[in-house]
Amino acid sequence: MRDQTEAPAPPTPTPLPTSALPPVVAASALPPVVAAAALPPAPAASTAPTPPGFGTTGGSVVRAAGRPRTWPRSFADRLTTPLPGVRAFARLAREGAFRPGPDGLRGIPDLPYEPAPLPAATPGAVCVTWAGHASWVLRTGGLTVLTDPVWSRRILGTPARMTPVGVRWEELPPVDAVVISHNHYDHLDAPTLKRLPRDTALFVPAGLARWCRRRGFTRVTELDWWESAELGGVRFDFVPAHHWSRRSLLDTCRTLWGGWVLTDTAAGRKVYFAGDTGYGHWFAEIGRRHPGIDLALLPIGAYAPRWWLRDVHTDPEEAVRACLDLGARRMAPMHWATFVLSAEPVMEPLHRARAAWARAGLPRQDLWDLPIGGSRALGAPSPAPDPPLPGPTAFAEGPVGGRTDKIT
């Protein structure tokens, strides 16, 4: 939901009048609230003794799962971009660039939707199924993990879904864990979480455990950037993102935002889930700290108008560039084809992502452009490593035609 006012947080631009913020703009689309310096890199693993409940691995601080934490009142110092001023809001209202025009909406019947039974998950393999938007069913390390699960037909502040959920709730295997990237309504959906058993393990950003515990969840682990926790055979690393948070009129940046790297600790397979993010320096740092990412789940939609959303949402070309920065071997696009959150034509993100991938000279089979409900699997690692990615390539914008390949 797009809230009507902003909570003040020093330092901040002049507060925006309530009437200046259009009510129809989705909450996840609003740029951050204050300017702040980027968070400095977390310290490297130390040889000094670590306190109880801590450890270090892969450049991350390892936390004991489920321990209560104390956090600062605000995470505004983690923001990397300022909120546009009153003139920018006035321009947005004047342009009316909140939704695609009639021509852009004509592509809704062409949105890829091919629900199918979940394939079997074998030991050492990673299986991903796109349920829509940023919701994935990940099976790795013997666990079934949901990312930002939104099974609701409608979220506050936006029209109803353009496409149904790709996996019926009744067809899900038992869910072992859920990861949440941030608290915007299209990523943290209370009605969906209410359908889970209250002893489901939740991994959430710093400051969000209280929200979860108030709803009866008993196994909640909240992490700061560059911290991790383990459950079964999977390590959950919380990593930075270029975004922000807010869920009500008075809680701007009171909870953190970020992405997740899930690692099968036995097989070594790594999946990166970006959540919601703009393009920036964090991708290269994530790749440096977590080398050998097998699959990057990256957002490609909700990017227009570009002058308004550049800081918080990657466009398709930036998503491909982020994949290269991460050093990821494969990319699966997400955050499109589900909710109308911005002004680009509904099929444009897929067309532009395919074109950018081709221009980068990357193998076509490594772009997992799944339909909603589609699945792909990575087998257990073989002794021979995957070939390295080509170096960075210049990108030129522009949509091209295309269709969704059948899933193999």
Side-chain angles (χ1 to χ4, degrees):
M1 178 179 68
R2 173 64 78 203
D3 298 319
Q4 301 298 307
T5 60
E6 297 289 353
T12 180
T14 302
L16 182 69
T18 297
S19 61
L21 186 56
V24 295
V25 184
S28 64
L30 183 64
V33 183
V34 295
L39 181 73
S46 170
T47 57
T50 54
F54 284 85
T56 58
T57 181
S60 296
V61 176
V62 182
R63 294 286 310 194
R67 289 199 174 201
R69 307 284 298 272
T70 300
W71 300 107
R73 182 171 175 80
S74 173
F75 292 94
D77 61 327
R78 309 296 182 90
L79 296 170
T80 54
T81 54
L83 174 68
V86 174
R87 290 183 181 178
F89 281 92
R91 175 183 172 185
L92 184 69
R94 184 173 62 252
E95 293 179 357
F98 310 130
R99 300 284 184 265
D103 289 343
L105 293 173
R106 289 195 184 101
I108 289 178
D110 300 323
L111 293 172
Y113 178 74
E114 299 178 20
L118 298 179
T122 57
V126 173
C127 184
V128 299
T129 302
W130 189 31
H133 200 51
S135 302
W136 294 84
V137 184
L138 304 182
R139 285 173 295 160
T140 181
L143 302 182
T144 296
V145 181
L146 302 184
T147 69
D148 288 357
V150 179
W151 261 248
S152 297
R153 180 174 177 270
R154 184 186 297 274
I155 57 174
L156 291 174
T158 68
R161 302 175 78 107
M162 295 184 289
T163 48
V165 183
V167 182
R168 287 170 50 87
W169 189 263
E170 297 77 12
E171 296 173 357
L172 286 172
V175 176
D176 299 294
V178 171
V179 297
I180 300 295
S181 64
H182 65 297
N183 70 355
H184 287 154
Y185 282 89
D186 59 324
H187 293 260
L188 177 62
D189 184 50
T192 299
L193 292 183
K194 287 179 181 177
R195 304 172 79 167
L196 292 166
R198 294 306 185 266
D199 62 350
T200 304
L202 305 185
F203 293 87
V204 302
L208 199 51
R210 181 182 177 189
W211 186 96
C212 300
R213 291 185 179 119
R214 284 204 309 261
R215 285 152 181 81
F217 288 95
T218 58
R219 300 171 62 202
V220 185
T221 301
E222 53 184 348
L223 298 177
D224 202 344
W225 292 349
W226 310 123
E227 291 185 342
S228 66
E230 294 191 8
L231 176 69
V234 178
R235 189 175 73 245
F236 297 78
D237 286 89
F238 191 51
V239 296
H242 298 277
H243 206 61
W244 69 299
S245 71
R246 188 176 71 182
R247 197 164 178 87
S248 72
L249 298 175
L250 302 174
D251 67 349
T252 301
C253 296
R254 296 287 178 84
T255 64
L256 196 51
W257 53 91
W260 294 90
V261 177
L262 277 63
T263 304
D264 180 337
T265 55
R269 289 290 195 193
K270 296 180 182 179
V271 177
Y272 166 65
F273 169 66
D276 232 353
T277 182
Y279 179 76
H281 66 283
W282 285 128
F283 292 111
E285 181 66 12
I286 292 167
R288 186 184 72 81
R289 292 173 183 252
H290 298 280
I293 293 173
D294 294 286
L295 174 64
L297 311 176
L298 287 164
I300 65 168
Y303 52 79
R306 203 72 199 113
W307 65 267
W308 174 253
L309 292 168
R310 180 185 308 276
D311 295 327
V312 292
H313 287 164
T314 54
D315 65 20
E317 291 77 20
E318 289 170 335
V320 173
R321 193 176 299 122
C323 185
L324 291 170
D325 291 350
L326 290 161
R329 298 185 175 100
R330 303 162 189 87
M331 168 179 154
M334 64 173 185
H335 206 270
W336 77 285
T338 309
F339 297 108
V340 178
L341 300 175
S342 55
E344 73 271 6
V346 296
M347 282 295 295
E348 183 181 279
L350 177 63
H351 298 162
R352 287 176 55 174
R354 287 175 169 171
W357 192 263
R359 286 193 298 270
L362 301 170
R364 180 62 182 86
Q365 67 270 19
D366 290 342
L367 178 64
W368 289 15
D369 47 352
L370 301 180
I372 293 175
S375 300
R376 287 286 292 268
L378 285 172
S382 61
D386 289 343
L389 284 171
T393 303
F395 291 84
E397 296 191 6
V400 298
R403 64 177 182 81
T404 299
D405 297 333
K406 294 190 75 68
I407 304 304
T408 57

